[in-house]
Amino acid sequence: CSDIDECSEGTSGCNQLCSNTLGSYTCSCHNGYELDTDNHTCIDIDECLTNNGGCEHTCVNTNGNYYCLCNYSYVLNHDRHQCDDVNECANGNNACNHICINTIGSYYCDCNSGYHLISNQRYCIDTNECSTNNGGCQQHCHNTVGSYYCSCWSGYYWDTTTNRCEDRNECSSSYSNRCYQNCHNTEGSYYCSCRTGFRLSYGYRCYDINECASNNGGCEQHCKNTDGSYYCECNVTDGYALDGDNHGCSRNCSTDPLVCQQVCHSQNDLLNCSCYPGYRLSDDGRTCEKIYFCSENTTNCNQICTNMNNSFICSCNDGYELQNDNATCQGNAYTL
Ligand SMILES: [Ca+2]
Ligand SMILES: [Ca+2]
Ligand SMILES: [Ca+2]
Ligand SMILES: [Ca+2]
């Protein structure tokens, strides 16, 4: 008798591979399969059940084989088992607006200085630094796209020594203030004033006060306005002179010697003239004219009248004698 080759006759019943032996045969399977307990049927090996099939992340069993899968953001290594991180940032089309930072298994976005991420964590918008603590600025804070800057209020300047906004002394130079006359510096500003005799206008101009426009400047007679002051004048032609208070006017004999030619009497600005003996006041009330008694028919000299300094005397012709009345002449019979 001779051996029957069950494998070539198709009578072995082996599911996959058949090996003839002397007087018998054995079944075997392809890789990825194993013989079932009947020693004829081949069933799939679930490689994932052992050490996850060697897969780093996920093992997927298939009929006769298996394969590995990687989590999101990983790619399968060439060894088909390990998972390598994907560097999303290496792609120029990454989703980050400014800066992409790769991490193992993921990535995140960041922004350039002066910007911050919006809620989608990808796009960057300007940070308004001024909205927080005034940007750290002492006075003005100005937000700009991607940055910000500080400045000082009007009336202040940036002092590079103190690194602070310091008050500008507008009064230190006539070019830095508008004051016509006096300038007063204040913190953050300044104000103007005027000298006595001037009034402030528009906060910086100084105009002369016309003191004469009000109550004649207090002057009794004439008021003369000047730039920054005024003065009083009196009617000098009428003999008035300024009083010691520089406002009142009064006259007396010493203020106008022209009033009276000879003798002056004054009382309450009234001047009265009189004349020396032998003179009389003229009709003008101030000049004096000499009295020639003998030619005025006011004397009663009988014969000869002689003017004296401030009087007259009578005398008689030869052969006459002045009588006791000092006027009448009577013939002297005894001398004839
Ligand atoms: Ca399998
Ligand atoms: Ca900004
Ligand atoms: Ca100032
Ligand atoms: Ca004036």
Side-chain angles (χ1 to χ4, degrees), residues 197 208-211 225-230:
D208 171 59
I209 297 171
N210 183 0
E211 294 86 352
N225 183 50
T226 64
D227 198 40
S229 187
Y230 73 103

Side-chain angles (χ1 to χ4, degrees), residues 316-330:
C316 298
N317 296 325
D318 287 346
Y320 292 83
E321 188 171 299
L322 195 62
Q323 302 302 295
N324 286 338
D325 63 2
N326 284 326
T328 307
C329 294
Q330 192 169 34

Side-chain angles (χ1 to χ4, degrees), residues 126-127 129 143-144 146-147:
D126 171 58
T127 299
E129 294 85 353
N143 184 47
T144 63
S147 186

Side-chain angles (χ1 to χ4, degrees), residues 207-223:
Y207 290 120
D208 171 59
I209 297 171
N210 183 0
E211 294 86 352
C212 298
S214 171
N215 193 32
N216 199 38
C219 297
E220 184 175 337
Q221 293 183 350
H222 304 292
C223 181

Side-chain angles (χ1 to χ4, degrees), residues 32 44-45 47 61-62 64-65:
D44 173 59
I45 298 170
E47 295 86 351
N61 182 48
T62 63
N65 209 338

